Amino acid sequence: MARTARPRGTDSLDALIRAVGGRSTRQRRAIYSSLAARCDHPTAENLYREVLRRVRGLSRATVYTTLHLLLRAGAASRIVHADGVAHFDARTDPHDHSRCVRCGRIDDVDVARRPEIVPEIPGDGFSVTGYRLEYLGHCAACDAAGGARSEP
């Protein structure tokens, strides 16, 4: 699906990283640039392998530290599923996701946000401030390859 949020410019990104106590470096800008160019919600390892081809000497620790800074700065978001693997997104506007339960593909879903679908949570002291919705199913490639059989 088409990405609707624009990636941040270098000056804006630098300011955000400095605001959370980080230094803006060539490696961090390359990591963000790679993340912002992708719509497939890569893992930290995916980003590490991609950016390493352009930035010699890049360490995994730099990728993880940078992703943590980007999350704190509000320049990225993290999607974690039941398998515990974190995927990252430079798109931080409110949007939902679809996830293929066979291959794990994650796509952005751009539908109108509907706060009325969020139920009141029973109990005291919890105020809903937002929600995330994930559609589970089979991507077109997995459907074509294996039909619509049930997952275990």
Side-chain angles (χ1 to χ4, degrees), residues 48-94:
Y48 168 72
R49 285 189 303 237
E50 179 179 324
V51 178
L52 182 61
R53 288 182 282 201
R54 294 184 321 232
V55 179
R56 298 253 182 234
L58 179 71
S59 71
R60 281 183 176 85
T62 298
V63 173
Y64 281 95
T65 301
T66 299
L67 288 170
H68 180 72
L69 279 171
L70 292 172
L71 292 169
R72 284 188 22 220
S77 60
R78 176 177 47 208
I79 306 161
V80 181
H81 298 291
D83 63 4
V85 176
H87 296 260
F88 296 89
D89 193 355
R91 183 175 169 186
T92 58
D93 64 306

Side-chain angles (χ1 to χ4, degrees), residues 94 96 113-115 118-119 121 126-133:
D96 302 313
R113 303 288 289 181
R114 297 188 345 236
V118 178
I121 297 176
F126 189 83
S127 174
V128 175
T129 60
Y131 69 96
R132 295 181 186 177
L133 183 61

